[in-house]
Amino acid sequence: MLKGKTALVTGSTSGIGLGIAKALARQGANIVLNGFGDVEGPQAEVAALGVQVGYHGADMSKPAEIEAMMAYAAQQFGRVDVLVNNAGIQHVARIEDFPVERWDAIMAINLSSAFHATRLALPAMKAVNWGRIINVASIHGLVASAEKSAYVAAKHGVVGLTKVTALENATTGVTCNAICPGWVLTPLVQKQVDAKAAALGISNEEAIKLLLQEKEPSMQFTTPEELGELAVFFCSPAGNNVRGVAWNMDGGWTAQ
Ligand code: NAD
């Protein structure tokens, strides 16, 4: 379905971003990966799906590096057809204790980076009258949890940015939608499991059970593979008129 198209997924060396990159690659899209840590492993996993793979190590907190990444993608692959704004970090603390530097980093990586990549991707998408912008927000783009002020504010911002992007391009072939996962067991969440286990003196399994019990009626994690298939749907012809939605995959979190 996406053969000949190029998808750039930010923060795709791990977790949800890698899951989405692989799902898009299975549909034939060439992939530009981005993110820190091990790069060769994820590159090999995507290449094994028979598509071309590029990588750019832009730090998504730095607009100049995002510009360099978009220029690299255009130069290597001609154009970005599918942009997935996924890179994100978390920090958990009450507002009065929240480190200012962490607030700024979360705003830059979780929110402003999506604005920068979007503004740079739009002209080429509009030129061919086809494009898909998929913002990985969170259930925290729709509802809040205590001790996550920066994350919740940034993710609500991402949902707002998604709607504006969708509206500004509503008469074109460029759509923009958000994905709002509940708990997904990635390194980002494992850190929160570890913190709970340490604070309460309980096992990893008990901490996972508590975490799910608090919020997620299904008592199941959503998987990066499931989220990848939702991204594939947004890219499909059936997704042509799906514009500006914030679609949860949250095990019933927000149905309560
Ligand atoms: P993760 O930690 O597994 O992956 C994050 C990715 O972002 C990694 O590839 C990392 O290298 C990259 N990254 C971090 N800082 C970066 C920076 N400054 N520049 C470039 N890349 C950077 O986390 P994840 O759980 O897969 O999270 C991916 C997205 O999904 C985030 O936006 C997160 O907020 C969102 N999300 C996660 C969950 C969850 O339960 N895991 C739930 C809802 C939303």
Side-chain angles (χ1 to χ4, degrees):
M1 188 174 74
L2 297 174
K3 208 166 170 47
K5 292 196 157 56
T6 298
L8 186 155
V9 186
T10 70
S12 46
T13 50
S14 168
I16 294 169
L18 182 56
I20 292 177
K22 284 162 68 178
L24 297 174
R26 276 186 216 104
Q27 298 298 322
N30 296 323
I31 302 292
V32 180
L33 295 172
N34 158 261
F36 303 148
D38 174 34
V39 174
E40 279 172 23
Q43 254 175 335
E45 282 183 51
V46 177
L49 299 167
V51 299
Q52 290 178 53
V53 189
Y55 168 77
H56 195 282
D59 178 338
M60 298 306 288
S61 68
K62 304 208 162 87
E65 294 190 23
I66 298 172
E67 284 183 23
M69 176 184 74
M70 298 305 289
Y72 160 84
Q75 189 209 348
Q76 291 290 311
F77 295 97
R79 177 176 68 240
V80 171
D81 302 285
V82 179
L83 169 67
V84 183
N85 290 310
N86 167 78
I89 58 169
Q90 175 64 284
H91 187 82
V92 180
R94 292 179 66 83
I95 292 174
E96 61 271 35
D97 303 324
F98 212 92
V100 171
E101 165 277 322
R102 286 289 85 195
W103 171 278
D104 289 343
I106 289 176
M107 286 300 153
I109 296 165
N110 294 20
L111 175 57
S112 300
S113 74
F115 160 70
H116 292 297
T118 298
R119 73 179 168 80
L120 295 162
L122 275 171
M125 290 178 176
K126 287 164 85 166
V128 295
N129 200 33
W130 197 92
R132 295 288 185 265
I133 299 173
I134 300 168
N135 294 327
V136 179
S138 166
I139 215 58
H140 286 116
L142 303 171
V143 295
S145 295
E147 304 192 353
K148 295 187 175 175
S149 55
Y151 189 85
V152 168
K155 293 299 188 180
H156 274 67
V158 169
V159 170
L161 175 67
T162 301
K163 292 175 184 174
V164 175
T165 309
L167 288 180
E168 288 185 3
N169 297 285
T171 60
T172 76
V174 180
T175 72
C176 179
N177 294 289
I179 294 178
C180 297
W183 291 121
V184 187
L185 192 56
T186 64
L188 184 143
V189 163
Q190 187 59 50
K191 272 192 213 157
Q192 295 172 61
V193 173
D194 293 345
K196 204 177 255 310
L200 301 176
I202 54 178
S203 70
N204 184 62
E205 288 66 33
E206 286 167 325
I208 284 177
K209 200 173 162 206
L210 270 185
L211 200 88
L212 289 169
Q213 230 163 26
E214 272 172 29
K215 303 278 188 185
E216 203 146 321
S218 68
M219 291 298 288
Q220 278 177 50
F221 289 105
T222 301
T223 66
E225 290 70 28
E226 289 162 353
L227 295 163
E229 291 307 316
L230 180 53
V232 167
F233 168 70
F234 285 142
C235 294
S236 74
N240 274 342
N241 209 24
V242 180
R243 294 171 188 267
V245 307
W247 192 316
N248 7 329
M249 269 201 177
D250 66 354
W253 184 320
T254 51
Q256 298 171 93

